[in-house]
Amino acid sequence: MRTLAGTYSKAGLFLFFAALVAACSTAPVRQGTRDLGVWTASWYGPGFDGNPTASGELYDMNALTCAHKSLPFGARLMVTSLRTGRSVQVVVNDRGPFVRGRDLDLSRAAAEEIGLIGPGTDRVRVVYVGRDLRYRKYIKGGVAGAEPFYDGPYTVQVGAFNERSNAARIKEGLEFNHKKVHVTVTWLDGRRFYRVRVGKFGSEQEALQYARGLADEGYDARIVPFESPI
């Protein structure tokens, strides 16, 4: 009877076990390359540094990140300037640009990498190279803050902010892809919060289905009772 070692070469055994280990591990990045075409890129920096992005992270102008209107948070893009030929890889963690005719807003650090600081805008080739799956969120059923026997309507909350301007910017970013985005205001422990919410749903199941889509996009979504917007 032949042994396993007799059937396979040492190289074959190494590849077999390497593949087995890889299959049992969970990669944080989903691979896959797709040419998204030639876009107009701009950059944003000091005026936004330290403010919350649409993904919930604080904007760091020295990190290699970018804003896009619809790509899910965590999408990794290779951006190449057609003018300088220089490239940089960035992660989508925000929504924008909010200026007509622009497709991508790079962080200051990313803009420096490809020579975009001086011109301000540039034509760039953009290639999707995968997604950092740590940006995906997951939610379960259940309504936060509901009274016993509450029976609707419902909405989906994606964030609460002390500054109205931050809530307004997140709202504007959501409106690229979602309808009925609104802001409510509440006081908690003497502090005022502006809460950004999406939709109005008659049933918890409808709200849950929509919330899961937002969570997959990368938003911290939770189902709450609907309240009239400010």
Side-chain angles (χ1 to χ4, degrees):
M1 182 177 67
R2 289 182 299 176
T3 64
L4 183 65
T7 305
Y8 298 96
S9 67
K10 290 183 179 179
L13 282 172
F14 173 81
L15 292 173
F16 171 79
F17 286 113
L20 183 63
V21 170
C24 294
S25 64
T26 55
V29 176
R30 176 186 291 158
Q31 302 297 337
T33 302
R34 186 168 74 253
D35 188 343
L36 300 180
V38 175
W39 295 356
T40 298
S42 52
W43 67 276
Y44 65 133
F48 299 95
D49 200 42
N51 289 337
T53 65
S55 68
E57 294 181 337
L58 295 182
Y59 175 64
D60 179 358
M61 66 180 184
N62 297 310
L64 297 179
T65 61
C66 68
H68 186 262
K69 296 179 177 71
S70 59
L71 288 171
F73 301 133
R76 292 182 175 271
L77 307 176
M78 183 64 70
V79 180
T80 303
S81 168
L82 300 187
R83 179 177 52 85
T84 66
R86 291 155 59 181
S87 298
V88 65
Q89 187 174 137
V90 293
V91 177
V92 176
N93 74 340
D94 204 2
R95 288 286 173 250
F98 298 103
V99 177
R100 184 184 297 273
R102 299 182 185 180
D103 307 300
L104 195 68
D105 244 350
L106 298 175
S107 66
R108 180 183 177 88
E112 286 178 336
E113 287 286 328
I114 64 171
L116 181 59
I117 295 295
T121 62
D122 207 351
R123 298 290 282 170
V124 297
R125 179 164 294 282
V126 181
V127 177
Y128 175 91
V129 295
R131 186 184 182 193
D132 186 336
L133 297 181
R134 290 172 295 184
Y135 281 81
R136 293 182 66 183
K137 306 294 195 307
Y138 301 90
I139 67 167
K140 299 179 181 179
V143 182
E147 296 293 333
F149 310 110
Y150 179 81
D151 195 29
Y154 306 89
T155 188
V156 181
Q157 181 168 306
V158 298
F161 305 91
N162 296 124
E163 299 293 333
R164 187 169 186 169
S165 59
N166 288 334
R169 187 167 182 273
I170 301 302
K171 176 179 180 292
E172 192 175 7
L174 279 159
E175 287 173 334
F176 284 128
N177 304 308
H178 303 278
K179 297 179 179 180
K180 297 181 179 179
V181 184
H182 56 280
V183 177
T184 66
V185 62
T186 188
W187 288 85
L188 183 63
D189 296 330
R191 300 172 64 193
R192 182 167 54 188
F193 290 91
Y194 297 93
R195 301 175 298 190
V196 183
R197 297 175 167 184
V198 184
K200 183 178 182 180
F201 306 94
S203 72
E204 183 181 338
Q205 189 58 38
E206 286 180 292
L208 177 60
Q209 183 176 355
Y210 203 91
R212 283 177 174 158
L214 282 164
D216 185 70
E217 192 175 334
Y219 289 100
D220 284 312
R222 61 174 182 160
I223 305 167
V224 297
F226 181 84
E227 297 175 9
S228 297
I230 57 175

